[in-house]
Amino acid sequence: MSSIDLRLLRYFVVVAEEGHLTKAAQRIGIQQPPLSQQIRALEKELGVTLFRRLPRGMELTESGQALLVDARIILDQVNTTIEGVRRISQGELGRIAVGFTESASLHPFIPAVIRAFRQISPGVTLAVEESNTSELVEALRQNRLDVAFIRSPIGNAAGLKMETMLVEEMIVALPATHALAKNKRRKSLPLTALAEESFILNRRPNSPGLYDTVIAACRVAGFSPKVKLEARKNLSTLSLVAAGLGISIVPASMRHVQLEEVVYLNVHQAPGLRAPLHLAYRDIPQSGAVEKMIIEARKLMKLE
């Protein structure tokens, strides 16, 4: 059956349903003689007689009746496959793998993008992965992720495209028992007030962009931060802050992590102390689903 032109099967089904060559030709939109030739070509290909020619029409033989059952199944499957492929191309079906950093997941922008995408593409299977920027970039390169919301990577970004979605402030996280946190009316402090503090930062290999941003901002402010501890994730960092082991500077979205032992304050007089959020994806033609995700992110970016 694989060598048979699907067009011949379609013609056969129409003739079988109409029981008349002229009526079938009108339905298909061709002349009757070419249609008759196509039916004979199909019979020759199969080596069987499919129709008995009657004075006023066409009647299926037993072989023709058997072929009609299978032909309808084959054509239905082909139509279903074609429709599925088209819907995948249009981003209505398929699968998309999305990654984001821990701090990015706490910003309302990320769930807003995913919610908007889900509304327009409910048939697409969505897989999500939370990790640090370095691991997300590597997952993109290895085709394990389609898009990723990341902080600023350091080093070679060849083969990737990055679009800045937003830039948020960075804040200081202090132990609730810290002297700078005891004044309940204080909402902000200058970066220089942290010059003698013990810093707890995310490990640079995991979040190189944010790590370097903090170091650079402190040096512009006139001091080199005393980095006493490093953690793999922001939540681990905040746990160490809560334990009173030091202070940290984190993206403002981390303020959503409410810990009784941690107080958050804004930081002023801190040029460059910002945390950008980028949308990263491979620099290749994208699937329909990925294109839709990118478009929805761009739309929401304009609202930020």
Side-chain angles (χ1 to χ4, degrees):
M1 291 297 293
S2 60
S3 64
I4 295 177
D5 188 337
L6 289 175
R7 182 171 51 94
L8 295 183
L9 282 185
R10 292 189 176 97
Y11 288 173
F12 163 75
V13 170
V14 174
V15 174
E17 290 175 348
E18 294 294 338
H20 198 283
L21 271 174
T22 302
K23 291 180 180 178
Q26 292 172 346
R27 177 173 156 186
I28 295 169
I30 63 175
Q31 296 297 314
Q32 184 270 334
L35 177 58
S36 179
Q37 293 172 4
Q38 296 295 327
I39 295 300
R40 292 190 183 282
L42 178 60
E43 290 178 319
K44 183 177 180 180
E45 178 75 23
L46 296 175
V48 300
T49 300
L50 299 173
F51 292 98
R52 284 187 287 270
R53 277 66 176 174
L54 305 176
R56 295 184 176 277
M58 307 276 283
E59 181 180 75
L60 285 170
T61 63
E62 185 175 356
S63 296
Q65 290 173 352
L67 178 61
L68 180 60
V69 172
D70 288 341
R72 283 172 169 162
I73 293 173
I74 292 169
L75 293 175
D76 283 346
Q77 183 60 57
V78 169
N79 291 336
T80 299
T81 300
I82 292 173
E83 178 64 17
V85 170
R86 286 174 177 164
R87 293 187 66 189
I88 289 173
S89 175
Q90 294 165 359
E92 297 175 3
L93 290 177
R95 181 183 183 277
I96 184 171
V98 181
F100 42 76
T101 64
E102 178 188 35
S103 62
S105 68
L106 294 170
H107 195 288
F109 179 78
I110 302 300
V113 172
I114 292 176
R115 184 166 55 250
F117 175 78
R118 174 58 68 210
Q119 288 174 347
I120 63 171
S121 298
V124 175
T125 300
L126 180 68
V128 298
E129 178 179 333
E130 179 187 297
S131 191
N132 59 60
T133 290
S134 297
E135 291 178 351
L136 292 174
V137 168
E138 186 61 24
L140 283 172
R141 294 190 189 283
Q142 294 180 0
N143 298 335
R144 291 189 288 107
L145 289 177
D146 297 301
V147 299
F149 294 92
I150 63 172
R151 299 300 183 177
S152 295
I154 300 297
N156 182 19
L160 297 181
K161 282 189 176 181
M162 286 188 293
E163 300 182 26
T164 302
M165 296 286 105
L166 56 90
V167 179
E168 61 177 314
E169 302 292 325
M170 296 191 77
I171 59 176
V172 59
L174 301 161
T177 56
H178 195 288
L180 294 173
K182 288 184 177 180
N183 184 349
K184 302 301 182 183
R185 299 177 62 182
R186 174 180 283 142
K187 301 299 181 183
S188 178
L189 49 73
L191 184 57
T192 52
L194 305 175
E196 300 303 320
E197 299 295 330
S198 296
F199 278 68
I200 305 169
L201 298 179
N202 276 16
R203 294 170 50 204
R204 188 180 185 278
N206 295 338
S207 302
L210 293 187
Y211 189 101
D212 288 359
T213 293
V214 172
I215 300 299
C218 291
R219 287 177 177 168
V220 170
F223 69 96
S224 293
K226 302 171 184 177
V227 182
K228 297 298 184 182
L229 292 171
E230 294 185 357
R232 189 175 185 277
K233 289 190 172 186
N234 280 303
L235 287 177
S236 300
T237 297
L238 293 179
S239 294
L240 295 174
V241 171
L245 300 180
I247 64 98
S248 188
I249 295 179
V250 296
S253 51
M254 294 303 297
R255 197 188 295 267
H256 294 290
V257 180
Q258 295 295 323
L259 297 173
E260 283 188 23
E261 302 85 355
V262 176
V263 172
Y264 300 104
L265 295 177
N266 295 330
V267 181
H268 58 267
Q269 298 177 19
L273 195 60
R274 302 290 185 271
L277 179 65
H278 307 287
L279 174 61
Y281 50 92
R282 290 183 297 282
D283 188 10
I284 59 173
Q286 302 294 341
S287 68
V290 173
E291 284 287 354
K292 283 194 171 184
M293 175 71 74
I294 294 171
I295 290 171
E296 291 306 308
R298 288 171 179 164
K299 287 180 182 176
L300 290 169
M301 174 187 68
K302 295 177 181 178
L303 301 178
E304 286 292 317

